[in-house]
Amino acid sequence: MIYAIVGEDVPGSLERRLAARPAHLERLHALRDQGRLLMAGPFPAVDSPDPGSAGFTGSLIVAEFPSLPEAEAWAGADPYVMAGVYARVTVRPFKRVLP
C-alpha cells in the first residue's frame, strides 16, 4: 500500500533540519533503492525553490509500505523526528490515481 507521510516543522528549526538532513536523506535513498519511494521533498516557507533563511514548514514523503503500522513506525524513527525538527507527523493511506 502507498502512504503519504507529512511532517510539520517546529518553527525556527532550520538549523536542526540542516544538521539532520544527511541521515534523513540516507533513509530516503534506502527506500528509493528498494523501489518503494514515489516522491519526497520539503515545503518551502516562502514561494521560492530556495527559501534561504526562511527555511521550510515541513516535508512530504510518498512511499510504499506493507502496512500502516509499518509506515508509522518508519516515519516515527526519522532523523528529523529525533532531532526535534518535526512538531507532528501524519501518516495516511494514499490511493494513486494519476499519473
Side-chain angles (χ1 to χ4, degrees):
M1 179 82 187
I2 298 172
Y3 297 90
I5 300 169
V6 178
E8 298 176 43
D9 285 17
V10 170
S13 62
L14 181 58
E15 286 185 29
R16 285 178 276 172
R17 175 184 268 273
L18 295 174
R21 188 170 188 264
H24 172 77
L25 290 177
E26 185 177 323
R27 294 179 85 232
L28 292 173
H29 291 158
L31 280 181
R32 178 201 60 202
D33 294 347
Q34 296 165 13
R36 297 170 43 201
L37 181 65
L38 279 71
M39 65 183 308
F43 299 116
V46 294
D47 189 12
S48 172
D50 181 5
S53 63
F56 301 91
T57 61
S59 303
L60 170 66
I61 299 165
V62 181
E64 293 183 39
F65 291 91
S67 67
L68 178 58
E70 290 179 71
E72 290 172 331
W74 186 90
D78 191 281
Y80 284 172
V81 171
M82 303 303 177
V85 173
Y86 290 155
R88 181 173 60 184
V89 177
T90 305
V91 181
R92 298 173 60 183
F94 181 80
K95 181 179 177 184
R96 183 176 179 172
V97 175
L98 294 171

